[in-house]
């Protein structure tokens, strides 16, 4: 009986890990008025998916709460934009995605991951 319970708990854990890491795509949050706050903490950008209007520059105000070196840069590889994120200090990054599409942004090790959804 208890072995069965342990197995069931193991399966539930595996399912939740798969769900969390591969299946969840958080809803995109719209950048109202061409600007949005992005929190950098606990291994995730919040929001991680940001919807912006095409043809307009958008200002992302990053606030880093994660002291690990992993979080110290944000890089928009496709846009040629990168910025240092000092701990606890808001940093504005303005980008102008040239056309509709998806533009990822990451930390330098690509553990933090986010995307601009340009429509
Ligand atoms: Cu990193």
């Amino acid at each position: 009986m208890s072995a069965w319970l342990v197995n069931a708990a193991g399966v539930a854990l595996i399912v939740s890990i798969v769900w969390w890491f591969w299946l969840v795509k958080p809803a995109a949050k719209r950048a109202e008025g061409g600007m949005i706050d992005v929190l950098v903490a606990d291994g995730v950008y919040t929001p991680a998916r940001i919807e912006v209007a095409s043809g307009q520059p958008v200002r992302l105000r990053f606030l880093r709460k994660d002291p690990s070196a992993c979080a110290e840069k944000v890089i928009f590889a496709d846009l040629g934009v990168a910025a240092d994120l000092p701990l606890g200090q808001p940093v504005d990054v303005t980008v102008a995605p040239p056309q509709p599409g998806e533009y990822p942004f990451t930390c330098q090790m690509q553990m933090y991951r986010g995307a601009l959804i340009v429509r």
Side-chain angles (χ1 to χ4, degrees):
M1 180 62 187
S2 66
W4 184 87
L5 266 182
V6 170
N7 286 342
V11 168
L13 183 65
I14 289 165
V15 167
S16 61
I17 289 171
V18 168
W19 180 77
W20 178 251
F21 285 100
W22 285 285
L23 303 181
V24 173
K25 268 210 171 176
K29 189 158 189 253
R30 188 183 290 271
E32 301 290 351
M35 125 137 248
I36 191 161
D37 289 316
V38 182
L39 184 65
V40 184
D42 304 325
V44 288
Y45 295 121
T46 308
R49 293 173 67 78
I50 299 166
E51 196 180 306
V52 304
S54 121
Q56 277 170 264
V58 60
R59 184 149 45 108
L60 299 107
R61 179 163 290 167
F62 286 92
L63 179 59
R64 172 183 165 206
K65 291 270 178 77
D66 180 352
S68 80
C70 176
E72 73 192 2
K73 275 184 196 300
V74 62
I75 298 162
F76 295 77
D78 297 343
L79 299 171
V81 173
D84 290 323
L85 303 178
L87 190 60
Q89 217 175 292
V91 173
D92 285 359
V93 178
T94 302
V95 293
Q99 56 200 13
E102 212 169 303
Y103 297 84
F105 56 96
T106 65
C107 69
Q108 72 276 24
M109 299 163 225
Q110 308 206 357
M111 282 132 92
Y112 277 88
R113 289 170 171 277
L116 292 177
I117 318 298
V118 181
R119 302 191 199 277

